Amino acid sequence: MLDKTFNPADVEKRIAAQWAASGAFKAGNRPQAQPYSIVIPPPNVTGRLHIGHALNNTLQDILARFERMRGKDVLWQPGTDHAGIATQLIVERQLAERQMTRLGLGREKFLEEVWKWKEESGGAIVGQQHRLGASADWSRERFTMDAGLSRAVLKAFVSLYNTRDENGNRLIYKDKRLVNWDPRLQTAVSDLEVESIEVKGNLWHIKYPIEDSDQFIIVATTRPETMLGDTAVAVHPDDARYKKLVGRHAVLPLTGRLVPIIADDYSDPEKGTGAVKITPGHDFNDFEVGKRHKLALINLINKDGTLNDDVPAPYRGLSREAARRKVVADLEAQGVMDKIEPITHAVPHDEKTRTVVLEPYLTEQWYLNVEPLAAKAIEAVKCGATKFHPPNWTEVYYGWLKNIRPWCISRQLWWGHQIPVWYGPEGEIFCAETEEEAKQQAGGKTLTRDPDVLDTWFSSALWPFSTLGWPDKTTEVDRFYPTSVLVTGFDIIFFWVARMMMMGIHFLAPARPGAPMEEVVPFRDVVIHNRVLDEQGAKMSKTKGNVVDPITLIDEFGADALRFTLALAAGQSRDMRIGPTRVETSRNFATKLWNAARFCEMNDCAVPAGFDAAKAEQTVNQWIVAETAQAVADVVAALEAYRFNDAANAAYHFVYDVFCDWYLEFAKPLFNSTEESSKTETRATAAWVRDQLLRLLHPFMPFITEELWARTGERAGLLVEADWPSLIPHPTDAAAEMQWVIDLIKGVRSVRSEMNVPAGAKIPLVLNGASRESAARLAKHIDVIATLARLSSAEAAPEIPKGSAQFVLAEAVVALPLGEVIDFAKERQRLEKDLKKAEDEIARFDAKLGNQQFVAKAPEEVLAEQHAKRAEACALATRLREAVARLQE
């Protein structure tokens, strides 16, 4: 007997252990079946499951379970990323607590400490993915620093280094360029690791004297200390204010150095003074201006963020903050500070260390020329080999690849894949997968290995095929590459999706000579999901205190409730709102499912051997069988189109509205019937439908469905191994007949509610103008209609009684004589009063939303709330008008 309530905490751990023991998640169990593969975006080994991970993992798991039930050989490839900066930062902090440093330990001992941390504390997120119910093939779990993937990284680097473009240049090369720099860890960081944070600051307006004159040209800057590295002042070529100054020189305050005044389109006449200080060594845009005008590059700053010896003596060795204060004071003392304007502006920070980035820093790094690879990645999407869902993200993908720049792939860290390059005594470069190979190339020379490691994104770009055993030719690569679908967030289209496309095509095309593009891309579909917001539609932030912890939600409501909430919210091209209230609603849905199964159990519902639901004779049973088939078709169509919210809504509607609220109510009289054949058929049909909906819901809510599968019948195996329902929808007269009954009952209930008819009062019903078919339906289903609509009588009649509330059903008018139950005059007065109140409320919303100042200043979530409340008021007003119209005295 099922327990009275479903307790997720008692079930989830036990069910997860059963799944693990069964081997149901393992790929390769069905060698003759069609392969289906997904690679999980590898979370950082340092991370914890956040709501974005929960969404991403849930959507992938829905697809994996769905396709597994459809008979495919599913590989959902799990794993974690070594997270170079984040991991090194954690271990260095732990060393500091023990009064130790990375430099004091040395590279080898430090890496031993990192591996020790990884084995003891890293990868906690994997256990949290298990709690979510992720059905990945955990026997194949990979780590970007494990031996196989490390070998793939070395192979890829050496191959790209040895590949030359059409001009004969190596794809991987060394160059001195500007990079984002973290002075705390003293490493370059990728654009993705730079977070712009709004801070209060100043805009300093500085007067640069014009050589041999008493004139000044005024520039504005948020970083006055960088002026020490200025090598020009730029004005727009069409700016009449400065035309006569172009070609002359300004005197750089504090240094006395002359800098040219140049004309360049980069300067915007509408911004500030129209004159821009150019510091090519410390600004990406200035760097490009410097290249166009062949300006000198002056690097002012040491790796630790202090000013170096290329600045005047008074500023050497100062931190950026101290240098800024002294520069401002000295400019004021010289009388060249025009004004100081307080502003709030975005300042780039390293998202891991929260350090202000030296935006940017001139240093020598390793680069990968990705332009030749990008062209093929663009072609792959244009020819349809890979498709984005929704398709609007295609343009975002194109936009980045068409404007791609060389990729800085080196990092000044110790944790990561060390660059496979060795240097000879004269600086010669030897690139090889092993030191032995490098020595052979060097002919016995003494070699020193490059100390840098590769950007973490380099190894993750190989993920779809390195996890399958590449560079070896394995059966897994042959079977599961290309993968079927990638599910990821829009924020890493640039940094991960595009790079996997470039690497996959570059390395797999030669391995499959002559293969069409669709056989060498890393995935055939890319599903992009949007952000998860809080329940009020605000972006989650630790500062705001509105961050939703998925593990907390699982503890309180269960994994199924969280998963189903995420699926319901995952509409394409829209942000989703998640919070405890919404998850509680899904928990209530799980309770409804559990209670429905208990009700079936209490009424001895079971599927006898040889039962064929398609041969049901009772109209209500024919109807529910047809509804079940349609629900299955709706869910399949939605999942195949990656419309997860439509799939979850279709399942929800069928289970909650159709099966629980209507079919089981219709079935009650049949369960209690003295007619054994109808009772037996209904019990079998109810159990059959229950089994289909457990299959249908399993991808979304795996724990509760697995538990019910085990406890509501004699099963040969686990639900996770069961087949997907194979039902074909077909038209049936029963569907139209039962829908007529439902609409009649809904109509009566609506009138009762609107007219304040007491819940216990039974009222008569008259069906006027009914066709023979409608009259027959009323007579056939009179018992269930009278019970569910609380009627004292129901009949077809040629006239409408006075004092009736009315509504139209098909060709007939349904009249409910209420004169003896309610006071029509008072009821009309109440309804008209409520209608006036609703109309006044709509007018207030219209006034507020019509106020352009309010609309311009109000946060997005406030506007959305106002529109939602107006829509609710409009719907209420419509219902009240209909209720007033129904009152016919």
Side-chain angles (χ1 to χ4, degrees):
M1 185 73 179
L2 287 174
D3 302 328
K4 188 174 181 180
T5 58
F6 173 66
N7 188 342
D10 294 340
V11 169
E12 291 174 355
K13 190 173 182 180
R14 171 168 49 81
I15 292 291
Q18 291 175 354
W19 288 334
S22 73
F25 303 162
K26 287 187 177 181
N29 286 345
R30 301 167 178 172
Q32 304 305 317
Q34 179 183 346
Y36 184 89
S37 54
I38 308 176
V39 292
I40 194 170
N44 286 352
V45 71
T46 59
R48 287 185 55 82
L49 191 77
H50 58 60
I51 199 68
H53 290 135
L55 168 67
N56 184 267
N57 286 191
T58 294
L59 300 185
Q60 290 176 79
D61 193 49
I62 289 170
L63 293 175
R65 289 179 184 270
F66 170 60
E67 296 295 1
R68 196 179 288 119
M69 292 179 78
R70 293 216 290 180
K72 294 180 183 177
D73 185 13
V74 174
L75 167 61
W76 183 16
Q77 174 65 54
T80 49
D81 187 276
H82 63 278
I85 290 178
T87 303
Q88 182 157 323
L89 188 61
I90 287 175
V91 177
E92 287 203 53
R93 284 172 180 166
Q94 292 183 350
L95 289 174
E97 293 172 1
R98 294 152 54 191
Q99 286 76 51
M100 302 169 68
T101 66
R102 168 172 63 98
L103 296 175
L105 278 178
R107 186 170 193 141
E108 185 176 342
K109 291 291 184 182
F110 175 75
L111 292 179
E112 287 178 7
E113 290 288 332
V114 180
W115 278 108
K116 181 180 177 182
W117 173 87
K118 190 266 180 186
E119 296 304 319
E120 293 178 354
S121 306
I125 193 170
V126 173
Q128 295 171 330
Q129 289 171 318
H130 281 281
R131 287 206 61 190
L132 190 65
S135 67
D137 184 349
W138 295 106
S139 68
R140 294 180 54 87
E141 184 182 346
R142 304 303 297 271
F143 177 53
T144 49
M145 285 286 288
D146 70 27
L149 271 64
S150 294
R151 178 170 167 253
V153 168
L154 298 177
K155 180 76 173 180
F157 184 98
V158 173
S159 174
L160 290 165
Y161 177 83
N162 290 326
T163 301
R164 297 180 182 271
D165 63 18
E166 59 184 10
N167 297 317
N169 299 315
R170 295 185 186 276
L171 292 188
I172 287 182
Y173 58 94
K174 257 193 159 182
D175 194 11
K176 196 168 188 177
R177 299 170 62 92
L178 295 180
V179 297
N180 296 302
W181 184 262
D182 183 337
R184 180 173 175 180
L185 283 176
Q186 297 188 31
T187 181
V189 295
S190 77
D191 291 339
L192 186 67
E193 292 155 349
V194 176
E195 179 183 5
S196 291
I197 299 176
E198 292 286 329
V199 298
K200 291 182 178 180
N202 292 308
L203 187 63
W204 286 272
H205 295 252
I206 307 168
K207 296 187 289 186
Y208 284 18
I210 305 299
E211 183 187 23
D212 298 330
S213 78
D214 57 359
Q215 293 179 282
F216 294 92
I217 187 168
I218 298 175
V219 301
T221 180
T222 59
R223 299 175 297 158
E225 71 280 3
T226 64
M227 67 171 290
L228 301 173
D230 285 358
T231 54
V233 173
V235 298
H236 195 276
D238 299 329
D239 194 332
R241 294 172 295 176
Y242 301 117
K243 276 187 177 292
K244 291 183 179 179
L245 295 180
V246 174
R248 298 185 65 181
H249 288 78
V251 180
L252 188 63
L254 308 183
T255 70
R257 184 159 46 82
L258 297 180
V259 296
I261 300 172
I262 60 174
D264 194 279
D265 290 340
Y266 170 61
S267 179
D268 186 346
E270 303 299 321
K271 287 185 178 180
T273 65
V276 182
K277 62 187 287 296
I278 301 300
T279 320
H282 291 283
D283 184 279
F284 285 111
N285 291 316
D286 291 5
F287 179 79
E288 297 301 324
V289 174
K291 284 202 300 184
R292 288 195 290 272
H293 295 270
K294 298 180 180 179
L295 300 175
L297 276 80
I298 302 175
N299 176 34
L300 303 175
I301 303 174
N302 296 310
K303 291 182 178 181
D304 63 357
T306 59
L307 270 63
N308 63 22
D309 290 346
D310 286 332
V311 300
Y315 310 104
R316 292 172 188 169
L318 296 179
S319 68
R320 288 168 293 163
E321 295 76 14
R324 178 172 299 179
R325 290 192 295 269
K326 182 164 179 55
V327 164
V328 169
D330 290 349
L331 290 171
E332 290 176 332
Q334 283 193 9
V336 292
M337 182 67 75
D338 183 59
K339 65 179 179 178
I340 303 173
E341 179 183 355
I343 61 168
T344 298
H345 63 131
V347 176
H349 290 65
D350 186 318
E351 67 170 3
K352 300 292 192 311
T353 65
R354 314 303 287 180
T355 305
V356 177
V357 171
L358 288 179
E359 61 301 25
Y361 181 64
L362 186 64
T363 181
E364 189 174 51
Q365 301 284 344
W366 284 98
Y367 287 88
L368 170 58
N369 175 16
V370 285
E371 189 172 349
L373 283 64
K376 293 179 181 178
I378 292 172
E379 177 193 344
V381 174
K382 283 191 172 180
C383 75
T386 294
K387 297 181 177 66
F388 278 81
H389 306 267
N392 57 290
W393 291 111
T394 304
E395 291 306 316
V396 175
Y397 171 82
Y398 288 153
W400 187 69
L401 287 174
K402 289 178 180 178
N403 296 285
I404 201 164
R405 293 183 177 184
W407 174 12
C408 176
I409 58 175
S410 51
R411 298 290 180 266
Q412 288 65 57
L413 302 171
W414 285 356
W415 173 243
H417 298 102
Q418 192 170 355
I419 289 176
V421 166
W422 285 260
Y423 301 102
E426 305 300 323
E428 313 97 306
I429 292 177
F430 303 99
C431 181
E433 293 181 45
T434 67
E435 185 173 3
E436 289 71 21
E437 292 177 17
K439 286 180 178 178
Q440 290 178 6
Q441 293 179 22
K445 292 179 181 178
T446 301
L447 300 180
T448 303
R449 187 167 184 177
D450 193 306
D452 289 354
V453 300
L454 286 164
D455 177 12
T456 301
W457 293 102
F458 189 94
S459 53
S460 58
L462 312 177
W463 188 252
F465 50 95
S466 63
T467 52
L468 299 176
W470 186 90
D472 294 332
K473 183 174 174 58
T474 66
T475 55
E476 287 86 356
V477 172
D478 290 341
R479 181 160 178 74
F480 293 110
Y481 187 96
T483 62
S484 306
V485 60
L486 176 75
V487 181
T488 190
F490 64 88
D491 52 336
I492 55 174
I493 291 176
F494 306 154
F495 301 97
W496 192 46
V497 178
R499 285 170 176 167
M500 285 189 289
M501 286 287 285
M502 291 189 290
M503 294 294 204
I505 296 169
H506 179 77
F507 287 112
L508 270 296
R512 298 177 177 181
M517 183 66 82
E518 57 265 25
E519 292 183 16
V520 296
V521 292
F523 21 75
R524 295 195 172 96
D525 288 311
V526 179
V527 177
I528 302 295
H529 58 72
N530 279 4
R531 298 177 302 170
V532 184
L533 308 177
D534 71 7
E535 287 183 308
Q536 283 69 49
K539 184 178 179 181
M540 294 185 193
S541 144
K542 290 181 181 179
T543 304
K544 293 181 181 178
N546 64 341
V547 173
V548 175
D549 184 342
I551 298 301
T552 300
L553 294 175
I554 290 174
D555 288 340
E556 185 173 359
F557 302 110
D560 290 320
L562 174 60
R563 290 168 59 107
F564 200 65
T565 303
L566 291 166
L568 284 169
Q572 292 185 348
S573 297
R574 76 175 186 209
D575 292 331
M576 55 202 78
R577 300 184 182 190
I578 300 294
T581 303
R582 290 173 179 262
V583 182
E584 184 178 19
T585 300
S586 293
R587 192 270 310 277
N588 295 342
F589 172 64
T591 300
K592 184 90 168 180
L593 173 65
W594 186 265
N595 290 340
R598 287 187 76 239
F599 179 76
C600 290
E601 184 180 54
M602 289 187 291
N603 284 278
D604 299 322
C605 297
V607 181
F611 174 72
D612 186 353
K615 294 180 180 178
E617 296 181 359
Q618 293 293 318
T619 303
V620 68
N621 293 330
Q622 294 172 354
W623 163 73
I624 195 60
V625 170
E627 288 290 322
T628 304
Q630 187 58 55
V632 171
D634 291 343
V635 171
V636 169
L639 287 181
E640 288 182 338
Y642 306 114
R643 299 192 315 270
F644 296 96
N645 64 315
D646 290 341
N649 272 302
Y652 178 94
H653 167 69
F654 172 68
V655 174
Y656 201 107
D657 300 330
V658 178
F659 181 70
C660 295
D661 281 1
W662 289 111
Y663 175 71
L664 292 183
E665 293 297 326
F666 292 154
K668 284 179 181 178
L670 295 172
F671 287 158
N672 299 321
S673 172
T674 57
E675 175 59 49
E676 285 300 321
S677 62
S678 61
K679 181 190 296 186
T680 300
E681 178 188 286
T682 304
R683 285 173 171 169
T685 304
W688 177 86
V689 176
R690 176 203 62 207
D691 290 354
Q692 307 315 306
L693 65 85
L694 291 179
R695 297 170 193 255
L696 190 69
L697 276 175
H698 181 71
F700 307 94
M701 308 177 80
F703 291 105
I704 190 172
T705 53
E706 189 71 78
E707 180 73 354
L708 287 172
W709 184 261
R711 298 182 60 180
T712 56
E714 296 295 326
R715 316 289 189 185
L718 296 171
L719 176 56
V720 71
E721 299 173 309
D723 293 335
W724 184 257
S726 56
L727 306 173
I728 302 175
H730 59 275
T732 171
D733 293 339
E737 182 173 326
M738 294 311 300
Q739 190 59 52
W740 184 90
V741 173
I742 291 170
D743 290 343
L744 175 59
I745 296 170
K746 281 183 175 179
V748 175
R749 287 175 172 175
S750 178
V751 170
R752 292 181 67 108
S753 173
E754 291 166 358
M755 302 301 174
N756 274 348
V757 175
K762 291 190 175 183
I763 58 177
L765 178 149
V766 172
L767 193 63
N768 176 256
S771 65
R772 183 178 299 176
E773 182 181 44
S774 293
R777 287 172 175 172
L778 179 63
K780 181 178 178 181
H781 299 284
I782 184 64
D783 290 342
V784 72
I785 292 172
T787 300
L788 298 182
R790 298 199 61 77
L791 302 176
S792 58
S793 63
E795 61 178 352
E799 295 183 1
I800 297 175
K802 289 185 177 180
S804 294
Q806 304 171 30
F807 65 91
V808 176
L809 179 64
E811 81 293 340
V813 174
V814 179
L816 301 171
L818 300 177
E820 297 182 3
V821 183
I822 63 173
D823 185 321
F824 268 51
K826 285 186 178 180
E827 189 59 27
R828 180 184 294 277
Q829 187 178 23
R830 181 188 71 82
L831 290 170
E832 289 177 343
K833 182 180 178 181
D834 288 347
L835 176 59
K836 175 67 166 57
K837 184 178 178 181
E839 289 174 339
D840 288 346
E841 191 171 3
I842 293 168
R844 283 195 296 273
F845 283 123
D846 286 342
K848 186 178 288 188
L849 293 170
N851 184 326
Q852 294 302 314
Q853 286 187 331
F854 170 76
V855 172
K857 294 180 179 179
E860 185 179 339
E861 57 267 24
V862 172
L863 290 175
E865 182 183 22
Q866 294 294 306
H867 281 292
K869 287 183 176 179
R870 183 188 183 282
E872 290 175 7
C874 288
L876 175 60
T878 299
R879 291 197 302 272
L880 290 168
R881 290 190 194 97
E882 292 173 350
V884 170
R886 287 192 184 113
L887 285 172
Q888 301 291 331
E889 298 186 36

